[in-house]
Amino acid sequence: MQNIFLKTERLTLREISQNDFAELETILKDKDVMHAWEYDFTDNDIQEWIDKNLEHYKKHHLGFFIMSENESNKIIGQAALKQDIIAGDKYYEISYILKKGYWHLGYATEAAKALKEYAFNILQVNEVIFEIRPNNLPSRRVAEKLGAKICGEFIKIVRNKKMPHLIYKLSKSTDI
């Protein structure tokens, strides 16, 4: 049985399992999809991705989730609600990674909105963030559609590379 995290009108978000390796490979090894990450995922990286998320589920009941279309049951990407620490401050972050064929169809916005509502209503947190590369305009538009505003920036070090990120914040008090 699949561990469903949440459902929306068009999407189901469920926990990643070891059986998802091949699907994750199609996402994480697609250079267009992963352009903001600026590195190539290896098979070992994909296995580490799975293992890391399984550990996040055990510790926090959060992480990256497989995103599938309800109508077709096809896996279309991933979406995350996870804890993160930036400059010593703890945040709840929303992320999304979609297969190319599902870009610009509102799926990222739908998933992000559902994750935001989960964070505010179930976890009772007062704010969520989106960490977005400055040149990732589609992801920025998703955050902005939900009402998130840029509140800062930081440098994330990934594989010894400095990667600038904008921090978009959405507060429960300003939620529409």
Side-chain angles (χ1 to χ4, degrees), residues 5-146:
F5 182 69
L6 60 81
K7 284 188 131 178
T8 69
E9 182 181 337
R10 300 185 299 160
L11 301 170
T12 297
L13 274 60
R14 66 162 174 82
E15 291 182 3
I16 290 171
S17 76
Q18 295 293 346
N19 296 332
D20 293 314
F21 188 95
E23 283 289 349
L24 289 169
E25 186 175 35
T26 66
I27 298 165
L28 298 173
K29 286 190 175 184
D30 185 318
K31 289 183 187 309
D32 292 333
V33 171
M34 301 304 293
H35 73 279
W37 292 63
E38 294 187 32
Y39 66 86
D40 297 328
F41 276 74
T42 65
D43 286 351
N44 189 53
D45 293 329
I46 295 167
Q47 187 58 56
E48 286 178 9
W49 182 271
I50 293 169
D51 295 342
K52 183 170 69 172
N53 280 291
L54 294 175
E55 188 62 30
H56 284 300
Y57 303 149
K58 282 182 193 170
K59 285 184 178 176
H60 310 289
H61 305 290
L62 301 172
F64 269 93
F65 299 96
I66 293 291
M67 186 182 345
S68 60
E69 251 183 344
N70 290 338
E71 192 174 302
S72 69
N73 237 9
K74 288 182 181 174
I75 293 174
I76 66 168
Q78 303 176 74
L81 177 60
K82 59 191 185 80
Q83 293 182 3
D84 201 0
I85 297 175
I86 302 171
D89 294 325
K90 180 179 158 184
Y91 296 97
Y92 283 87
E93 176 196 357
I94 294 174
S95 299
Y96 28 83
I97 306 170
L98 273 78
K99 292 180 179 179
K100 274 187 291 201
Y102 299 93
W103 289 357
H104 310 296
L105 299 173
Y107 289 117
T109 303
E110 185 172 331
K113 181 179 180 197
L115 291 167
K116 170 202 68 146
E117 290 170 358
Y118 184 92
F120 289 167
N121 299 325
I122 304 299
L123 299 179
Q124 295 294 308
V125 301
N126 292 319
E127 62 187 25
V128 293
I129 65 163
F130 302 79
E131 297 176 16
I132 304 174
R133 299 295 304 274
N135 62 348
N136 190 342
L137 299 179
S139 285
R140 291 177 66 176
R141 282 192 290 271
V142 169
E144 290 165 0
K145 245 186 242 183
L146 295 177

